[in-house]
Amino acid sequence: MDKYSALYEIYPRLNVLDISPTGSGKTTSAIQHAEYLVTRGKNVVVVMQSYKLLEEARNRLHADTKKRTLIFKGKTQEDICPFFKELTALYEHVITSYCKDCKDRKKCQYYKQINWIKQRRDFDGMCIFTVANNVSIVLSTIESKNVTIIVDDVPISYLLEPTDVITYGELEQIKDYLSSMENTTLMQRVVDFLFADTFEIESLRNDFVKYGGEFFRAETEKLAAQAKKDPWNEDLLDFKIIYKIIARLQENRSFYKEKSKKTVIFSEDNIDFYRDYRILYLNATPASLETRETTPDYVIGIPSLYELLGDYYLFFEPPPLNENWVILQVDGDDYKYSKDTIANSKPVKNCIKEILSLNDGI
């Protein structure tokens, strides 16, 4: 039995944090644990960095588990939606849909995925593989809190506090654009909120209650319709933050903003939402402030993101000895580095070459 399943049998609701180094078998154990849960009628959501990694992980499942497994893809994937090119082009600007005008709705691959989940959620364990952007959609479709979420090598902040950044110059352009349109009063209020130093979120919520969600919906649909007329227009403005704030108001969920000299950072607060689920977070190099173990000693009184989700069990195990591999974990006292940074780092490459030159047998 894998280590996560053994722990689950004793503490079925306890979260898990595994920061064991690369090569220690975290992903292998996670796949085994997913199978353990599914065969016992439990639901699992596995989150990885890419669909390619998800395909590779799914291929490691036993045949019986594969039948209960789905790789849930977003509409911007080529094999999911016939409008994927348009949606990809608009993704950086507005949140929109072509579903209403789609003649293939009944045989839509995206909704087939939704129906696949609905048909199994009440009577059978299932495993859904997906990327971070789709997790909330998958969880809302499952409609159960009794789900284990396995987050493999994806920063936990991507789920708990996803952020968007916009410059003041871009906000000014949006403000001017909305001023030229009729009936966009509520969206203009959202822009004012982003600009203001003292504009409280509660004031924005009061506007939403006062005018009603239908006004927001009408304004956003009008904006989306304008963008859909010319999705390839390189001058389209970035309205994502505006749309996301409106969505948070509609769902009555928390968010906040931070201002710097040149930008506004909008962040969703999903702590309460994910606290209801059991989460396995697997990451050899989690970012500072994400976990208690990686929070600098001089930071006092600020709980880590993972700590906010509740109690967790920590795994930190060295990789097993392997005569065919040398594991190098690159780290620093003050910084955490992404895999892309390491892969393209000349100092790291030179260091590896030097090590190899000293060990001709490797």
Side-chain angles (χ1 to χ4, degrees), residues 165-172 262-264:
V165 180
I166 190 168
T167 66
Y168 290 120
E170 291 169 327
L171 273 177
E172 286 286 0
K262 297 182 179 180
T263 63
V264 178

Side-chain angles (χ1 to χ4, degrees), residues 90-95 162-168 170-171 174 178 187 190-195 204 216 220 223 237-249 255-258 263-268:
L90 291 172
Y91 178 76
E92 294 298 322
H93 306 283
V94 297
I95 298 172
T163 61
D164 288 273
V165 180
I166 190 168
T167 66
Y168 290 120
E170 291 169 327
L171 273 177
I174 289 174
L178 292 175
M187 295 190 77
V190 175
V191 174
D192 291 340
F193 160 75
L194 290 170
F195 266 121
L204 203 58
F216 275 99
T220 55
L223 193 62
L237 301 177
D238 185 349
F239 283 88
K240 283 199 309 297
I241 288 181
I242 313 298
Y243 274 68
K244 289 183 178 182
I245 289 176
I246 291 172
R248 301 303 279 190
L249 292 171
F255 60 93
Y256 57 93
K257 68 174 182 183
E258 298 175 75
T263 63
V264 178
I265 302 172
F266 161 74
S267 300
E268 300 177 11

